[in-house]
Amino acid sequence: MDVITVLLGCLLGDCYAVKSKAYFPGTSFRFKQSGIHKAYLFYLYEFSYKKGSGTNSGLREYKTILINAANNKPKTYYGYEFDLFTFSSLN
């Protein structure tokens, strides 16, 4: 019940569902945050791993480059993300 409560709360904020058709068709949940919120994301990762809904693969760092339309200058953002297991029962 704890995992479902946290998952529903996060879906309202910083999590989203991804429907996969690859090796394991189903739906997984991806948590993604900027580097500023790294501690919060690590907490969610540890919580989900200890509750059995996440893998032991750890967090992935990502980089996003956005180009300002006004001055055509790129700005780079860094953050972290992780996925929960894929659940075929949610399709």
Side-chain angles (χ1 to χ4, degrees):
M1 193 62 173
D2 291 341
V3 173
I4 293 171
T5 303
V6 169
L7 185 58
L8 286 176
C10 289
L11 280 170
L12 294 171
D14 52 11
C15 174
Y16 58 96
V18 179
K19 190 170 182 180
S20 172
K21 295 179 184 175
Y23 300 108
F24 303 106
T27 302
S28 66
F29 297 92
R30 180 165 294 158
F31 293 81
K32 190 172 185 177
Q33 285 285 323
S34 67
I36 296 169
H37 304 290
K38 182 179 177 179
Y40 169 66
L41 201 63
F42 270 92
Y43 168 78
L44 287 175
Y45 171 75
E46 288 294 324
F47 174 82
S48 63
Y49 178 67
K50 288 178 183 177
K51 295 289 184 174
S53 60
T55 68
N56 64 351
S57 62
L59 275 71
R60 297 180 301 274
E61 187 175 14
Y62 70 88
K63 176 173 86 170
T64 301
I65 301 172
L66 299 176
I67 298 180
N68 187 330
N71 59 15
N72 208 26
K73 289 187 179 179
K75 185 165 183 176
T76 305
Y77 297 92
Y78 294 93
Y80 296 90
E81 65 184 6
F82 73 95
D83 297 326
L84 296 182
F85 287 124
T86 300
F87 301 96
S88 60
S89 61
L90 295 177
N91 282 354

